[in-house]
Amino acid sequence: MRIVIAGGHGQIALRLERLLTARGYEVAGIIRDPEQGDDLREAGAEPVLCDLESASVERVAAVLQGAEAAVFAAGAGPGSGVARKDTVDRAAAVLFTDAAERARVRRFLMVSSMGADARHPGDEVFDAYLRAKGEADDHLRTRLGLEWTILRPGSLTDEPGTGRVRMEAHTGRGSIPRDDVAAVLAELVDTPATAGLTLELVSGTTPVDVAVKGVAGN
């Protein structure tokens, strides 16, 4: 299986690339900066240069051609302003979604955020971020050609993963190590029975594989 990850140099993406490569998958990561290529190669992924803020849907669809799964894990980052929340967290996600459907990719995972809501009020940058993520999620839900799952982690930490999580439609607020988010994504790639679900994710007591099987088909 070939899997393409948008935001290939992100902290979750690099972890996911290592996990998927270890499972024997062919993994490609989309990056803007060629200097990031060595980090992807070290993680076992093929770096693909493509700027999702300026690329056409045809260009991105070409990158996705032949892939059986796609993961949107890109983000404007904590230091960015309102404008890039729109161009990356919303517009690039929409572009990647449309390109995946055009390339006839079946499995699609969206790394969203707890609290994402297109109608979220407020004028702060984080408010704009939650609206952008919510709009991207809403758009994905309209793509009938994709077997999509939306994952909404709580507050992300760099603590070592525990391999134990809580994943439900609504978990309540909480935090989770990036290691565990990547582990859940790796399981979700292999679990198309979670298609059509929007899932919140925080640290918990259930092993990752059991948590994924527990929500599959619900």
Side-chain angles (χ1 to χ4, degrees), residues 8-211:
H9 195 257
Q11 296 184 67
I12 290 173
L14 286 169
R15 289 167 166 86
L16 179 59
E17 286 155 5
R18 293 186 184 96
L19 292 174
L20 293 175
T21 299
R23 294 184 178 204
Y25 294 126
E26 177 188 345
V27 184
I30 295 176
I31 55 175
R32 293 195 312 164
D33 183 353
E35 294 185 2
Q36 298 171 342
D38 286 344
D39 291 336
L40 269 71
R41 294 184 189 95
E42 184 180 340
E46 169 200 356
V48 178
L49 284 176
C50 181
D51 186 348
L52 294 178
E53 288 182 88
S54 61
S56 66
V57 68
E58 292 82 9
R59 162 63 177 142
V60 181
V63 172
L64 286 159
Q65 199 66 44
E68 295 169 82
V71 182
F72 187 83
S80 58
V82 170
R84 293 205 71 225
K85 301 306 182 191
D86 184 67
T87 59
V88 178
D89 294 295
R90 183 196 62 79
V94 167
L95 173 71
F96 193 64
T97 297
D98 291 350
E101 188 172 49
R102 181 171 297 201
R104 299 191 177 185
V105 177
R106 294 300 302 172
R107 191 76 176 108
F108 191 102
L109 303 181
M110 176 74 82
V111 182
S112 183
S113 174
M114 188 174 291
D117 183 348
R119 293 160 296 282
H120 180 82
D123 300 321
E124 300 298 323
V125 172
F126 190 66
D127 297 324
Y129 168 73
L130 291 178
R131 284 194 295 272
K133 297 298 285 185
E135 289 180 34
D137 292 352
D138 287 349
H139 181 78
L140 175 57
R141 293 187 183 102
T142 69
R143 301 299 89 189
L144 301 180
L146 299 174
E147 295 174 356
W148 55 263
T149 303
I150 296 170
L151 187 65
R152 292 179 164 178
S155 300
L156 300 172
T157 77
D158 289 323
E159 296 296 318
T162 66
R164 294 181 177 272
V165 300
R166 180 183 176 193
M167 183 166 56
E168 301 169 12
H170 302 287
T171 62
R173 295 288 175 177
S175 62
I176 185 163
R178 289 178 172 86
D179 286 348
D180 288 335
V181 177
V184 167
L185 289 167
E187 287 292 328
L188 287 173
V189 165
D190 282 334
T191 315
T194 59
L197 299 180
T198 299
L199 300 164
E200 294 184 349
L201 177 69
V202 295
S203 291
T205 59
T206 306
V208 166
D209 60 338
V210 176

